[in-house]
Amino acid sequence: MQRMRRRGGLPVAFGGLFSGSRQFRISELTGTTTNSLRGLAVIPGNGLGGKVLTTSRPISVADYPASRAISHEYDAAVGAEGLRSMLAVPVVVRGRVRGVLYGALRQPLMLGDRALSAAVEAARELERVLAGRDEAERLLTVARRQPPPVEPPPVEETDPAVWEEVREAHGDLRALAHRVTDLQLRDEILTVCSRLARASSGRGRERERGSGVELSPREVDVLACVASGATNSAAAERLGLRPETVKSYLRSSMRKLGAHTRLHAVVEARRAGLLP
């Protein structure tokens, strides 16, 4: 919201997401002076936001109270905040509208491309976050339904394709975890990742005990990317880090593991039960 205000020159920004019902409530506000909009339930088809919900496209009005392009169920709340010119942009994830972001002025002026572009960019950023969270929850649900065995068979006795799929899922989970804003969910995802690594990386209890090596979460993230064949640049893009930062984490993990090459570090991390 703050970036949307700065980039678009919008003194007021607010919005909300669906929580499972046919309506959403405005829950996030910045730049407002009253609480008239907080908690307001927006129904598809009603008002500016409701029209955006039904059309799935951005809409703006130069003077909200006088506009004939929208219905006016929410005039009292909008008027109490003193808003006139408004725009609304849908947040769409996989073809489904998940919420709406608004920007507003207190003067009846036509909002230009700068404001609309800033609102659309903010919506796209939120869409990427929600898509990442959805995928993390999906993978976490799969992991919960299929808990790893306590005593897995040796890797050599198992179909290599199966282990590659496990390792790929493990890397995807770790990468997605750091894009999840819910800290409790993030910790739960990383805990499942650790279970997968411990259960699938060793030959019985000998490896379950580990080697005493401790790596930071980001060091494990980088090694998981390296294990999948990613270059430093690819790992940086996947994890949202700088390539130099990836190199630093890789050097640190190699030192802790007593490894001299990237591949050696991956092998030692698997022996220590840190990677599947």
Side-chain angles (χ1 to χ4, degrees), residues 111-125:
L111 288 164
D113 291 341
R114 176 190 173 192
L116 182 59
S117 296
V120 170
E121 184 179 351
R124 297 299 88 82
E125 290 177 3

Side-chain angles (χ1 to χ4, degrees), residues 202-219:
R203 299 185 181 90
R205 296 181 180 177
E206 181 180 351
R207 286 192 180 178
E208 183 69 22
R209 288 195 297 268
S211 62
V213 177
E214 293 186 5
L215 300 183
S216 71
R218 273 311 200 185
E219 287 170 343

